[in-house]
Amino acid sequence: MMMVVLPNEKMNSFSRSLSSKVKQRAAYVSRVFRALVIIGSLVCFMLAIGCGYMYVLPNIAHALHDREYGFSIDACDVFDGKWVMDDRYPLYNVSECPFVEQGFNCLANGRVDDDYLKWRWKPKHCDIPRVNVQLTLEILRNKRVVFVGDSMSRTQWESLICLLMSGLEDKESVYEVNDNIITKQVRYLGVRFSSFNFTIEFYRSVFLVQHNWAPRNAPKNVRSALLLDKLDDISKEWINSDVLVFNSGQWWVPGKLFGTGCYFQVGESLKLEMTIGTAFRTALQTWSSWVDSMINPEKTQIFFRTFEPSHWRNLTLRQCNVSKLPLPDSVGKDLSPFSDAVFEVVNGMVAPVTVLHVTPMSAFRSDAHVGTWSDRPSLSDCSHWCLPGVPDIWNEILIAYMFGKVKAHDV
């Protein structure tokens, strides 16, 4: 028997079918919507995590970096303070560093007392962070650190090498690039840390400007001349560096200038009546013009370390008494016209130069000089410093500045 479907029944069947499809479609749309919401939420979550990674982690790293090399007070004059005893010093074992020249290795030359090794510089309003050697080595990877100046600069150069070598097990990975022996006469010395592919170099330039023979028709007492308007002819070697540290001053004295027949020259003109102070400022102006025109401050951090006071009892007779402890008073040695000239010239420069004003802090350290504990014990020495010693503290401050965590000294 054939079943006959009436029109109303067809409509009801169609409606039920349509309703079923609508419900299925709605359920599908609902599922898709929920899925999109979930996916969107996941994407937002991942973006939030990513943003947090981009923002938070660098700041955490920055904070950790600050903790290693930062100061709690931004405006802190690190050169205004006092020396305090600290048994954690010295910063390295001198017997493990072959780059300290014999004349500065007081312990090896027979000095028995070692209290001079135990002093730390404490600024009034902050603390100089103890050097993290491993972090310093990593930050200096692929870089070039250059010291330019006299024997005091060479001492600081040696100190920094020894300080960083203390963090290496393989001491043989550190070597002088030309196999040079460290002596007073060598114009260039460069030590490579091969594991980290960086060099610490020293250029001997005691006046920073050129030292030349006397010009024609000069008086007989003039044997040589400082060309105050011409920077040292090896200055081209200083340009492509990442850290550049200058110093000068120890040779700007009558005995090493007029006493040897050395006078001043500007252009073609001899300046026989020019004072040493005026000549020093003129040389610094030549240096500052060169820095402003030749050094890219985006690449190179520039420093100038001020004059280091000596503690002679009688310089003419080369007599000095090395004390057992730092002096209780700076006895006026915290002031120097050479240091004043550095501040004056740097203040007028375009390039940012950080002045390492070590004059006041070094004025107290009559206990830290070489004295008779050098490679020439018959000659006292109250100009140079024992290593380890005071230059290590200069380098602690230098490293803190290198990492940008100290506000530069106001000039």
Side-chain angles (χ1 to χ4, degrees):
M1 178 179 294
M2 182 178 294
M3 181 177 294
V4 179
V5 180
L6 297 176
N8 287 339
E9 292 177 345
K10 286 183 178 182
M11 289 297 295
N12 290 337
S13 176
F14 176 76
S15 298
R16 287 193 297 271
S17 175
L18 181 61
S19 176
S20 176
K21 289 180 178 181
V22 169
K23 289 179 180 180
Q24 291 176 0
R25 179 68 59 87
Y28 173 76
V29 170
S30 178
R31 287 196 298 271
V32 170
F33 179 76
R34 287 198 298 270
L36 289 174
V37 169
I38 293 172
I39 293 172
S41 299
L42 288 173
V43 169
C44 291
F45 178 74
M46 294 303 293
L47 285 173
I49 291 295
C51 290
Y53 181 86
M54 293 291 290
Y55 178 78
V56 176
L57 289 186
N59 280 278
I60 291 175
H62 184 75
L64 291 175
H65 193 269
D66 283 358
R67 186 170 181 178
E68 291 289 351
Y69 286 105
F71 287 77
S72 58
I73 302 175
D74 291 335
C76 177
D77 181 357
V78 297
F79 303 105
D80 182 17
K82 63 180 180 180
W83 292 95
V84 297
M85 183 66 77
D86 191 328
D87 288 333
R88 296 176 300 169
Y89 285 71
L91 298 174
Y92 54 85
N93 185 340
V94 69
S95 66
E96 297 178 352
C97 183
F99 296 99
V100 171
E101 58 188 286
Q102 184 181 352
F104 301 150
N105 190 346
C106 297
L107 292 176
N109 293 328
R111 185 165 184 173
V112 177
D113 66 297
D114 62 358
D115 284 348
Y116 71 96
L117 299 173
K118 304 292 186 181
W119 294 95
R120 171 174 62 87
W121 180 250
K122 173 67 177 71
K124 287 183 179 178
H125 303 295
C126 58
D127 286 306
I128 299 170
R130 189 174 175 85
V131 175
N132 183 322
V133 176
Q134 294 300 325
L135 179 59
T136 305
L137 288 167
E138 191 59 49
I139 290 177
L140 289 179
R141 184 184 292 275
N142 303 321
K143 288 182 168 50
R144 184 172 174 237
V145 180
V146 172
F147 289 87
V148 179
D150 52 32
S151 56
M152 298 297 183
S153 180
R154 192 175 72 250
T155 310
Q156 187 177 4
W157 171 79
E158 295 173 21
S159 163
L160 183 60
I161 294 169
C162 295
L163 177 56
L164 297 182
M165 278 188 70
S166 68
L168 297 175
E169 291 186 9
D170 182 11
K171 310 296 185 186
E172 298 296 323
S173 66
V174 182
Y175 56 88
E176 207 286 323
V177 294
N178 294 319
D179 294 325
N180 282 325
I181 297 174
I182 301 174
T183 67
K184 298 177 181 179
Q185 285 72 36
V186 177
R187 283 274 271 168
Y188 167 75
L189 292 163
V191 169
R192 175 172 294 279
F193 284 69
S194 59
S195 301
F196 293 86
N197 190 36
F198 71 83
T199 56
I200 303 178
E201 305 169 36
F202 166 70
Y203 289 86
R204 186 175 184 270
S205 180
V206 299
F207 298 111
L208 300 181
V209 292
Q210 290 185 29
H211 185 198
N212 211 340
W213 296 111
R216 290 181 180 180
N217 303 320
K220 290 185 178 180
N221 63 317
V222 180
R223 300 177 183 176
S224 63
L226 288 185
L227 309 185
L228 300 179
D229 56 344
K230 293 184 179 180
L231 208 65
D232 198 321
D233 55 8
I234 60 172
S235 57
K236 60 182 180 296
E237 304 294 337
W238 313 337
I239 296 174
N240 187 28
S241 55
D242 298 281
V243 178
L244 192 49
V245 186
F246 294 94
N247 94 293
S248 187
Q250 292 291 334
W251 281 64
W252 293 84
V253 293
K256 292 183 177 181
L257 290 169
F258 309 142
T260 63
C262 180
Y263 289 81
F264 310 122
Q265 181 177 341
V266 177
E268 299 298 321
S269 176
L270 275 176
K271 304 293 183 181
L272 299 179
E273 302 301 322
M274 182 179 284
T275 66
I276 290 177
T278 300
F280 183 73
R281 277 180 168 80
T282 304
L284 284 181
Q285 291 289 356
T286 299
W287 165 82
S288 67
S289 297
W290 179 87
V291 169
D292 280 340
S293 62
M294 300 299 295
I295 300 299
N296 177 9
E298 296 297 323
K299 172 179 173 56
T300 306
Q301 288 180 282
I302 312 158
F303 299 87
F304 201 111
R305 182 169 50 74
T306 60
F307 187 75
E308 319 84 355
S310 58
H311 293 83
W312 293 95
R313 178 162 51 88
N314 187 319
L315 179 56
T316 303
L317 299 177
R318 295 193 65 83
Q319 296 175 347
C320 69
N321 294 325
V322 176
S323 61
K324 293 292 184 182
L325 299 172
L327 296 173
D329 187 89
S330 62
V331 295
K333 293 183 178 293
D334 55 332
L335 304 175
S336 166
F338 296 115
S339 300
D340 294 342
V342 170
F343 280 107
E344 178 185 318
V345 171
V346 166
N347 194 43
M349 293 178 66
V350 175
V353 176
T354 299
V355 178
L356 301 176
H357 191 31
V358 305
T359 309
M361 64 187 294
S362 305
F364 298 93
R365 296 305 307 274
S366 62
D367 61 315
H369 287 296
V370 170
T372 57
W373 299 287
S374 71
D375 52 344
R376 301 176 66 186
S378 60
L379 295 176
S380 293
D381 185 349
C382 273
S383 292
H384 294 92
W385 309 92
C386 296
L387 286 181
V390 170
D392 305 329
I393 310 302
W394 301 344
N395 281 324
E396 280 193 300
I397 297 173
L398 173 66
I399 289 171
Y401 272 109
M402 280 166 52
F403 297 153
K405 299 307 172 189
V406 184
K407 183 177 179 181
H409 188 84
D410 294 331
V411 298

